[in-house]
Amino acid sequence: RGIARDALQIDALTSWIGDLVCLDDLRVGIHCRVEGSLKTRGSLTLADGCHVSGNLISEGPIHLGSDCVVGGAVVSETAVYLGAGCTIGAAGRLATVAAPRIQVAPGVCVHGTLWAEEAGQTLPPASIEAAAPAMPPVPLTI
């Protein structure tokens, strides 16, 4: 188990084996892998494509970028934001997402339950598509 007493930034494409406790904010870079659980007293942010085998527990908000995979529970004392295409839990391994406020983007799959004590919101696909750059048309030849 690792303990960080100050805010911590984990670089992109990094792997971590074991649980990590951060007494401040924790930011995990793009496409990182954690074989364990993450717990923070501040905010917890996972960039796009991160994989965590265990739980995410935070006193502050939890932000998951697109296509993140979390094997265990996602619990915050303030808010949880699940980016597009995230997967929480797995078939045969149910997981809970719990926070006073939960926001879910399109394509999220939670194998288990979501508990929003104050407010829950799903984002419409149009809000995600508007933020993404338009793809150029592909010419069709026969």
Side-chain angles (χ1 to χ4, degrees):
R1 179 177 75 160
I3 298 177
R5 299 198 183 282
D6 298 316
L8 179 62
Q9 168 77 39
I10 297 176
D11 292 334
L13 302 170
T14 300
S15 292
W16 175 270
I17 298 174
D19 297 333
L20 180 59
V21 177
C22 184
L23 303 180
D24 202 334
D25 297 336
L26 173 60
R27 297 182 61 83
V28 180
I30 191 168
H31 297 293
C32 286
R33 292 193 168 274
V34 177
E35 293 298 324
S37 295
L38 301 175
K39 183 176 182 179
T40 68
R41 285 208 173 149
S43 64
L44 173 55
T45 303
L46 300 183
D48 295 348
C50 288
H51 287 243
V52 178
S53 67
N55 303 311
L56 301 179
I57 310 293
S58 182
E59 290 181 16
I62 297 175
H63 298 264
L64 273 62
S66 63
D67 301 316
C68 289
V69 176
V70 179
V74 178
V75 180
S76 168
E77 292 184 18
T78 56
V80 170
Y81 305 95
L82 301 177
C86 287
T87 301
I88 311 299
R93 185 176 179 199
L94 302 180
T96 298
V97 177
R101 293 177 311 282
I102 298 175
Q103 189 175 61
V104 179
V108 169
C109 179
V110 176
H111 297 274
T113 59
L114 288 99
W115 292 88
E117 298 166 5
E118 296 173 10
Q121 179 184 19
T122 56
L123 297 175
S127 67
I128 298 299
E129 292 169 5
M135 294 185 66
V138 177
L140 179 61
T141 57
I142 299 178

